[in-house]
Amino acid sequence: MQPAPSPAAKPPPPAHIAIIMDGNGRWATRRGLPRVAGHRAGADAVRRTVTACGDLGVRFLTLYAFSSENWKRPASEVSDLFGLLRLYLRRELAELHSNGIRLRVIGDRTRLPADVVELIADGERVTAGNSRFTLVIAINYGGQAEIVSAARRIAEAVKAGTLDPSSIDEAVFESYLDTTDIPHPDLLVRTSGEQRLSNFLLWQTAYTELVFTPTLWPDFGREALEEAIDEYHRRDRRYGAVGA
Ligand code: FPP
């Protein structure tokens, strides 16, 4: 008897996946629950997704946890979101570390509660030597503010005479971004059916494949992640060149 043909090997997953976690509020409202219940369920989806990315061999996962525009939400919701972030940073750090996961946080820390800044610094310090996988959490992050901050610091370096304007190219500009030394995302997923970037990684997504799924973030997990990765594999990435 002929041996069964071996299934085609799966292509490697995208090295860097970025996710706009959307739909927590709608998830809660549909169940007659307060919005915070959606955010709590969203934090569980974060845990599932981090585990799934680790299992699948993804090297970088960037999560949009709190945008610079999210301060416009009611104070009680902002406080609930920071409560969940605190809890995550306190409770998950040991687990992230023991799984060889490095933690990085991008965004403007100057407006964050002091204890959250401390938790972030501790998490980054403890996990700095880990290299299996990097979890990047965007907190008080806005792509336009990140680009403006880079431009301001470049202007200061030029004014101080330490940077020659003629040497400024994409690589130099990039070295002033929060994401310096993090590769650009290969795949960006936005949940809940909305189809926009909402100020997330504006510079870094120049050639990123965008996948929009109707799944609400609290329902997201390994299966939805694998579906997004399958969709990514069906895309033809040309980076402005001609296809094969
Ligand atoms: C968007 O849903 C979600 C957020 C603004 C917050 C995301 C936060 C978490 C998933 C929890 C904590 C994060 C970590 C990393 C532990 P929405 O509230 O805008 O939903 P809606 O559009 O349905 O109202």
Side-chain angles (χ1 to χ4, degrees):
M1 221 168 73
Q2 293 285 329
S6 63
K10 271 214 161 202
H16 183 174
I17 300 178
I19 306 185
I20 301 177
M21 308 182 286
D22 198 5
N24 294 350
R26 276 162 283 171
W27 184 93
T29 305
R30 281 177 200 176
R31 287 165 174 73
L33 298 170
R35 290 178 61 82
V36 65
H39 294 314
R40 268 189 221 119
D44 292 338
V46 167
R47 290 182 196 97
R48 287 196 297 275
T49 305
V50 169
T51 304
C53 283
D55 292 348
L56 294 170
V58 172
R59 301 301 310 279
F60 291 85
L61 171 68
T62 299
L63 299 175
Y64 205 5
F66 192 89
S67 81
S68 44
E69 286 73 37
N70 285 154
W71 297 106
K72 294 178 196 155
R73 294 186 177 214
S76 60
E77 183 165 343
V78 170
S79 157
D80 288 339
L81 284 169
F82 276 103
L84 285 167
L85 282 167
R86 266 187 200 99
L87 213 61
Y88 184 82
L89 293 167
R90 275 199 202 111
R91 287 205 188 146
E92 304 292 317
L93 183 64
E95 171 120 12
L96 293 176
H97 188 41
S98 66
N99 284 316
I101 299 175
R102 180 175 182 184
L103 175 74
R104 293 269 307 261
V105 171
I106 57 171
D108 178 3
R109 295 183 197 186
T110 57
R111 202 177 160 186
L112 301 184
D115 66 317
V116 172
V117 175
E118 222 172 281
L119 283 169
I120 292 170
D122 278 355
E124 288 186 325
R125 183 179 44 76
V126 169
T127 62
N130 295 343
S131 57
R132 188 167 81 92
F133 161 43
T134 300
L135 170 63
V136 185
I137 306 183
I139 306 178
N140 192 23
Y141 174 87
Q144 292 178 336
E146 180 191 31
I147 292 169
V148 168
S149 160
R152 189 182 305 118
R153 282 178 297 125
I154 287 173
E156 281 161 4
V158 168
K159 193 173 163 198
T162 54
L163 184 65
D164 176 357
S166 67
S167 72
I168 301 169
D169 59 9
E170 287 89 336
V172 169
F173 195 91
E174 181 134 7
S175 70
Y176 285 82
L177 296 174
D178 291 8
T179 52
T180 180
D181 72 28
I182 297 174
H184 293 176
D186 302 289
L187 165 64
L188 182 141
V189 180
R190 182 170 188 151
T191 58
S192 90
E194 308 289 350
Q195 302 193 2
R196 56 181 171 269
L197 283 177
S198 297
N199 207 7
F200 190 39
L201 301 175
L202 297 182
W203 169 282
Q204 298 85 346
T205 50
Y207 284 101
T208 299
E209 294 298 329
L210 310 180
V211 170
F212 301 102
T213 164
T215 303
L216 301 177
W217 176 250
D219 293 326
F220 199 86
R222 190 182 177 117
E223 198 184 324
L225 178 72
E226 288 193 292
E227 277 167 21
I229 293 175
D230 288 345
E231 169 67 31
Y232 166 83
H233 285 308
R234 288 192 288 272
R235 304 278 175 91
D236 177 19
R237 300 188 81 190
R238 294 192 295 277
Y239 302 95
V242 177

